[in-house]
Amino acid sequence: MHISSDYSLTDFYKPFNHIPMHIAIAGNIGSGKTTLTKMLAKRYGWTPRFEPVDNNPYLSDFYADMERWSFNLQIYFLNKRFKEVVEISKSTDTIIQDRTIFEDARIFAPNLHAQGMMSDRDFANYTDLFDLMMSLVKLPDLMIYIRSTIPNLVEQIQKRAREYEKSIRIDYLQGLNDRYEEWIKTYKGNLIIIDGDTMKFENDIHAFQRLTDMIDAKLYGLFPMDEG
């Protein structure tokens, strides 16, 4: 399909956006979720929802002492994410979300518990609360999972140079990666998996086009487009 140069892609997708959808980006710390969320929001005219990082009152304390602050942090995220899910379900826009409530409960909290940084009592309390919330939550219309190796994640984390992330341990990242792979194997919803090590969508227009072709096929049944 050919689109003339005076016709924007956002305009092209407007007829499809009258039915609101929930698109989610999943992936480990440093995998490129926020970057991809911004790029896809611009491409399709979707409304972005970003992970609450900058104003998070627990994040710096957590990375300095994970065992002390793990439960507080996870409850904070669960609260914020559940509020987002409720708002998304009522929205008349198509929302693209940077990280989901499922990752907090199926990956981050269990990883902290398994590594001895969340007590049995706190983990049981957290899990009961999450299970109650899940009775009111449905899966996104499309989940995009960015798979990435530890060296690539470390490189990306170092590149963005967030002070509070300097203390992240390799075994913590590896534990998260292992749980992401376990979770994605059993995920039942509409899913696209991309290789974050090789598909450099931020700097490679052709890689980004391949990804949007996959999204178009999943959501709209469209064939790849010629943007010349």
Side-chain angles (χ1 to χ4, degrees), residues 131-187:
D131 289 342
L132 175 61
M133 290 177 172
M134 283 304 95
S135 66
L136 304 171
V137 171
K138 67 175 185 177
L139 294 177
D141 296 286
L142 176 63
M143 179 78 73
I144 302 171
Y145 169 51
I146 307 174
R147 174 178 281 146
S148 187
T149 61
I150 298 300
N152 188 57
L153 294 174
V154 170
E155 181 183 347
Q156 294 301 111
I157 291 169
Q158 290 175 341
K159 187 184 299 182
R160 66 191 186 191
R162 292 174 179 167
E163 185 65 31
Y164 57 81
E165 290 182 340
K166 290 181 178 179
S167 60
I168 295 179
R169 292 167 15 191
I170 297 297
D171 64 332
Y172 176 70
L173 281 177
Q174 185 61 61
L176 293 175
N177 245 18
D178 292 344
R179 289 185 180 277
Y180 264 107
E181 290 302 314
E182 291 171 8
W183 170 64
I184 216 67
K185 286 177 185 175
T186 61
Y187 185 75

Side-chain angles (χ1 to χ4, degrees), residues 14-197:
K14 279 181 180 177
F16 298 104
N17 288 339
H18 70 285
I19 300 176
M21 290 185 291
H22 176 194
I23 316 300
I25 310 293
N28 206 341
I29 301 166
S31 60
K33 298 181 305 300
T34 301
T35 298
L36 185 57
T37 299
K38 291 176 180 177
M39 293 176 70
L40 292 177
K42 182 178 180 181
R43 166 83 176 217
Y44 291 97
W46 295 337
T47 302
R49 289 291 189 101
F50 297 105
E51 187 176 18
V53 171
D54 292 338
N55 298 317
N56 189 317
Y58 294 105
L59 208 53
S60 295
D61 289 331
F62 168 73
Y63 282 123
D65 188 347
M66 289 186 175
E67 187 172 355
R68 164 63 182 85
W69 294 102
S70 62
F71 180 72
N72 305 70
L73 178 72
Q74 291 307 128
I75 289 294
Y76 173 85
F77 275 129
L78 191 63
N79 174 46
K80 292 292 185 182
R81 219 84 73 179
F82 184 67
K83 183 180 178 181
E84 271 195 343
V85 168
V86 172
E87 290 173 352
I88 289 170
S89 69
K90 297 177 180 179
S91 176
T92 57
D93 296 330
T94 289
I95 306 293
I96 181 164
Q97 185 185 26
D98 174 2
R99 186 164 283 149
T100 69
I101 194 171
F102 306 100
E103 293 163 83
D104 288 314
R106 298 304 184 211
I107 294 157
F108 283 83
N111 187 55
L112 288 166
H113 179 242
Q115 294 191 353
M117 290 181 282
M118 184 183 289
S119 71
D120 291 345
R121 178 179 61 181
D122 285 347
F123 183 63
N125 188 11
Y126 176 90
T127 301
D128 284 347
L129 181 58
F130 172 75
D131 289 342
L132 175 61
M133 290 177 172
M134 283 304 95
S135 66
L136 304 171
V137 171
K138 67 175 185 177
L139 294 177
D141 296 286
L142 176 63
M143 179 78 73
I144 302 171
Y145 169 51
I146 307 174
R147 174 178 281 146
S148 187
T149 61
I150 298 300
N152 188 57
L153 294 174
V154 170
E155 181 183 347
Q156 294 301 111
I157 291 169
Q158 290 175 341
K159 187 184 299 182
R160 66 191 186 191
R162 292 174 179 167
E163 185 65 31
Y164 57 81
E165 290 182 340
K166 290 181 178 179
S167 60
I168 295 179
R169 292 167 15 191
I170 297 297
D171 64 332
Y172 176 70
L173 281 177
Q174 185 61 61
L176 293 175
N177 245 18
D178 292 344
R179 289 185 180 277
Y180 264 107
E181 290 302 314
E182 291 171 8
W183 170 64
I184 216 67
K185 286 177 185 175
T186 61
Y187 185 75
K188 302 299 184 184
N190 204 12
L191 176 67
I192 290 174
I193 300 176
I194 62 175
D195 187 335
D197 286 20

Side-chain angles (χ1 to χ4, degrees), residues 178-225:
D178 292 344
R179 289 185 180 277
Y180 264 107
E181 290 302 314
E182 291 171 8
W183 170 64
I184 216 67
K185 286 177 185 175
T186 61
Y187 185 75
K188 302 299 184 184
N190 204 12
L191 176 67
I192 290 174
I193 300 176
I194 62 175
D195 187 335
D197 286 20
T198 59
M199 186 176 276
K200 301 296 184 181
F201 45 80
E202 182 178 9
N203 303 312
D204 184 347
I205 188 172
H206 299 294
F208 185 60
Q209 182 66 58
R210 289 197 301 274
L211 173 56
T212 57
D213 285 347
M214 288 189 281
I215 293 171
D216 291 343
K218 283 280 188 179
L219 294 180
Y220 310 120
L222 296 177
F223 293 103
M225 296 183 301

